[in-house]
Each structure stands twice: as C-alpha cells, then as structure tokens.
Amino acid sequence: MLDGMDRRPVGMFDSGVGGLSVLREFRRLAPNERTVYFADTAWFPYGPRDPGEVRKRAFAISHRLVDAGVKLIVVACNTASAAAIADLRQLFDLPFVGMVPAVKPAAHASRRGRVAILATPGTFDGDLYSRVVDEFGKGTAIDRVVGHDLAELVEKGEVDTPIVREAVRSALGPTIANGSDVVVLGCTHYEFLAEAIKGEFPGVAVLGTGEPVAKRASDILSELDLVAPSDAEGSLDLIISGNRQAFLEILPKLGFLPREQAAEAQS
Ligand code: DGL
C-alpha cells in the first residue's frame, strides 16, 4: 500500500461478529488504518429479516459511521450487501465495498462442476446473488444451502465445538453427498466455521470472501488517495447496538487479541 495522508477511519458493519472476519484481513493488509466497526447486535440476525428492514438498518448505520468521520464503508455482511449496497452507493457520497458470494472462483475451483453456496435466506433472495450466478455460474451446478442457526452459533462464540460440527454436517452433508466439491461461505459469520467445515469434509475446498473484500477496500483507498500515513497507528473502535459486554467477551473466542478487547473496554 502507498504512503498517504488521510487519517480518517474506515467504517465497517455487520449484524454482529461476522464482519470481524473481514476486519481481521483488512487490519493485516492495512495496519496503519484506523477502523470503526459497527456490530448491530440489537437487530441480529439479519438473514431471516425482510430486505426493507435490513436496508433501513444499513442506512441508519451508514449515517452513524459518516458522523464518526469515516472515509470508506465496508458492508461486511452478505445479507446487508444484497439488500442495500446499490442504494447506499446512490445515497452517500463516499465509497462502499460490499460482499458478493465467491461464485466465480468456486466455479473455477470445482473439478466436478458442482458447488454449494452456504448463505442466509436474505442473500439468496437478493438480485445481487442472481446476477452473480447468471454471470459466473454458467455450466456449474449450484446447490443453495441455507445455514439455519449457523450464524447464531458463531454469534455465541462457538466456532469448532461438537454442536457446530453437527450443525455443519447436517447443513452440508446432503450437497456434499450429491457431489459438491467446493463450499462457498456466503455469510461473513461462516468464515469462522471454515476450519470446522474442512475438518468435517476433508477434500472439499472452502472459499470465503473476507480476504478479497479486505484487499478490494485497501486497493480503493490507494486508488482514491485515501491511504493513512505510514507512521499512523492503526486502531479499532467498536460501536455495538446491543449488549457491549457480551460482545467483548466473545472476541477472544474468535481469535481477537485480549489487547484489543482491553483497549476497547477503556474507550
Ligand atoms: N453476517 C451476515 C451475512 O454476511 C448475516 C448473519 C445474520 O443473519 O445476521 O450475511
């Protein structure tokens, strides 16, 4: 990343802890950037909600992040991206980066020509999903798998427990028995389940979008000359719409350092 001068933070949001999977990659790629992460835990889960309701939350949160002075917003949630990304780009005068299920790389990676997309109902219902499948999914059989209760488990900090293993087996077992050799993680919460899925189904490729989306955000900062100076110290501010303490207690279970939690608890 080039050296820059823009010390304003980058905003990110999700219904809960899921978007931290994008944040984790972004902080690795852009360690000098300040970040403000909004976890909308009071409205979790987004997946089964009406898209209009998710859109309203996305607008309200984006306003809040703009008030916090952010220079770019990452919609670190597939469901909110499906419901709102086009409208957010129209309404706000700053760049947005959204999540798109990794259908294209999955279609390339599959040897058998069959892939499973694991996502929330809201993501499958949106136009964004249909467009990506129309554009990149031709010639590939695609099984849509709704991850009932999986985001809820991650939100409780369960990522590789017997309950998670059982939930993953029951969600993905049929499509894998049916020949799917690639699983696309179409929800940012599910990125935390990658190890459990790989452990349960060795030989199946598991593709997420946390890293490419973080890379896209960092590239846009460079392209638009919004990069922080190399002497700037990266930081993380959390805005939690629900129970803050409960959220902070989950962070270590997801691999976030106690140092960040402690710094945050004082702010
Ligand atoms: N993390 C969100 C996503 O990427 C959804 C989880 C939820 O249902 O709130 O779709």
Side-chain angles (χ1 to χ4, degrees):
M1 205 177 209
L2 301 169
D3 202 1
M5 302 194 34
D6 197 325
R7 292 180 186 269
R8 290 176 300 162
V10 167
M12 276 193 202
F13 71 90
D14 178 47
S15 58
V17 296
L20 294 173
S21 57
V22 182
L23 181 88
R24 165 177 77 182
E25 300 302 325
F26 180 74
R27 297 189 74 199
R28 203 173 45 75
L29 290 169
N32 303 115
E33 298 293 338
R34 292 165 56 211
T35 48
V36 182
Y37 184 86
F38 190 116
D40 199 14
T41 54
W43 291 79
F44 176 86
Y46 280 178
R49 287 188 189 277
D50 179 78
E53 201 175 10
V54 175
R55 204 172 300 128
K56 272 195 200 151
R57 291 307 301 153
F59 288 168
I61 293 166
S62 298
H63 277 297
R64 177 73 183 80
L65 290 171
V66 167
D67 288 347
V70 302
K71 55 188 172 186
L72 171 145
I73 294 179
V74 180
V75 183
C77 172
N78 289 77
T79 312
S81 299
I85 192 86
D87 295 338
L88 291 170
R89 287 192 173 122
Q90 283 222 319
L91 196 76
F92 289 89
D93 193 18
L94 81 170
F96 279 84
V97 178
M99 311 295 301
V100 179
V103 173
K104 187 180 179 185
H108 280 290
S110 177
R111 279 164 290 130
R112 296 198 198 131
R114 177 174 288 275
V115 307
I117 316 278
L118 185 61
T120 68
T123 296
F124 286 129
D125 288 347
D127 292 346
L128 190 62
Y129 174 76
S130 323
R131 261 189 283 125
V132 172
V133 168
D134 284 350
E135 198 170 344
F136 302 115
K138 293 216 168 53
T140 303
I142 296 182
D143 282 353
R144 297 171 168 214
V145 181
V146 173
H148 296 292
D149 294 336
L150 290 179
E152 283 80 352
L153 287 169
V154 175
E155 199 60 28
K156 285 188 221 147
E158 294 218 27
V159 292
D160 200 359
T161 58
I163 296 174
V164 164
R165 288 291 184 116
E166 173 52 37
V168 159
R169 262 199 307 277
S170 97
L172 291 168
T175 177
I176 287 166
N178 205 17
S180 293
D181 57 0
V182 178
V183 171
V184 172
L185 306 174
C187 165
T188 51
H189 279 75
Y190 305 163
E191 304 260 342
F192 291 108
L193 302 177
E195 293 313 310
I197 296 172
K198 286 180 197 160
E200 240 3 87
F201 302 107
V204 166
V206 178
L207 300 185
T209 26
E211 208 268 333
V213 167
K215 170 89 173 51
R216 179 84 192 116
S218 133
D219 288 348
I220 289 183
L221 291 182
S222 298
E223 282 160 25
L224 300 180
D225 212 4
L226 299 173
V227 174
S230 55
D231 67 352
E233 208 174 316
S235 62
L236 168 60
D237 280 320
L238 296 172
I239 307 173
I240 320 292
S241 62
N243 185 321
R244 186 176 180 88
Q245 196 50 38
F247 189 88
L248 293 178
E249 276 164 20
I250 290 170
L251 294 186
K253 296 186 187 163
L254 301 177
F256 280 78
L257 299 174
R259 184 173 56 79
E260 290 166 320
Q261 191 182 355
E264 192 40 41
Q266 287 157 13
S267 69

